[in-house]
Amino acid sequence: MKIDVIPVYGRVLSHHISSSTVIAVDVLRSTSCIITAVGNGANRVVPAIDPGEAAMLAGRLGHADVVLAGERDAVKLPDFDIGNSPSEYSANTVKDRSVIISTTNGTAAIHGMSAAKDVLIGGMINRSAVAKRAVELGNDIIIVCAGTYGQISADDLLAAGSIAEAINRLSPSGIDASDITMVCCMLYADWKQGRADLSVTKHCARLISLGFEEDIRYCFSEDITDVVPVYENGVIR
């Protein structure tokens, strides 16, 4: 089983992923929020590329049954119900409702994966569960990182390494890892040993400056849920 990591989603071409299982990762914080929403009983999560599309979809579905969620540059969008903090996606807020979400990087990345054989939503909070599901599907695996504004984001590489490590552990025959996959695993090993301080990296530092330390702690918590959302036909369930 081959495993690769695409460090920034914009570099993905459809023919590269058409026969593979893709695990979409935007660990801080979009995919962590989506996993949380599904785990807390959301009927579905619909990723929208931009705020205008999100508002249009919400209007079409009827606001009574919809939670409109989103952010730009880590700040909640005006007139949206919630932003992009996992704590906002509680059962009281999302249970039995449709969540329409548009974020700076993550939702566009998920949209871009529609050509894949299977698309799973991953993070550190479900790393072993998403790894197990990907191994069960039996395809080559590509972990696609959202990145930040088209640039590599260290937090996504960390999450990719954590998932790749779990895939290797769960795969009966081991994995054929690309060089970037091995680099991500090295970053993850260093982080586990306290040798990698992600708080100094650009995206983490931005969130810390805005007071989102608790979001970072939550999103970097490993294996706190076995929920594995699946993206299919424009909808996550």
Side-chain angles (χ1 to χ4, degrees), residues 129-147:
V130 77
K132 181 174 184 291
R133 180 58 179 148
V135 170
E136 289 171 348
L137 289 168
N139 310 309
D140 289 339
I141 299 168
I142 303 175
I143 303 172
V144 177
C145 301

Side-chain angles (χ1 to χ4, degrees), residues 73-74 199 202-213 216:
D73 200 21
S199 69
K202 188 172 182 179
H203 188 41
C204 278
R206 165 71 175 165
L207 292 175
I208 290 169
S209 73
L210 293 171
F212 291 125
E213 294 94 337
I216 295 171

Side-chain angles (χ1 to χ4, degrees), residues 93-228:
T93 300
V94 304
K95 185 174 174 59
D96 298 326
R97 302 178 76 188
S98 296
V99 177
I100 314 297
I101 182 172
S102 178
T103 66
T104 307
N105 306 289
T107 53
I110 294 168
H111 262 279
M113 300 305 107
S114 58
K117 192 168 185 180
D118 304 282
V119 182
L120 310 178
I121 306 301
M124 295 181 75
I125 62 173
N126 74 340
R127 75 179 194 104
S128 291
V130 77
K132 181 174 184 291
R133 180 58 179 148
V135 170
E136 289 171 348
L137 289 168
N139 310 309
D140 289 339
I141 299 168
I142 303 175
I143 303 172
V144 177
C145 301
T148 303
Y149 292 116
Q151 301 295 316
I152 290 171
S153 196
D155 46 282
D156 284 343
L157 300 186
L158 171 66
S162 76
I163 295 169
E165 188 277 336
I167 291 169
N168 185 53
R169 173 166 42 83
L170 294 166
S171 179
S173 57
I175 61 172
D176 177 6
S178 66
D179 281 5
I180 185 62
T181 302
M182 290 188 281
V183 168
C184 291
C185 289
M186 292 173 194
L187 173 61
Y188 172 66
D190 281 347
W191 177 81
K192 287 286 284 186
Q193 295 298 318
R195 296 190 298 266
D197 179 11
L198 266 67
S199 69
V200 301
T201 60
K202 188 172 182 179
H203 188 41
C204 278
R206 165 71 175 165
L207 292 175
I208 290 169
S209 73
L210 293 171
F212 291 125
E213 294 94 337
E214 181 59 25
D215 283 5
I216 295 171
R217 186 205 64 76
Y218 175 86
C219 294
F220 284 172
S221 298
E222 297 183 272
D223 292 326
I224 61 174
T225 180
D226 60 2
V227 170
V228 181

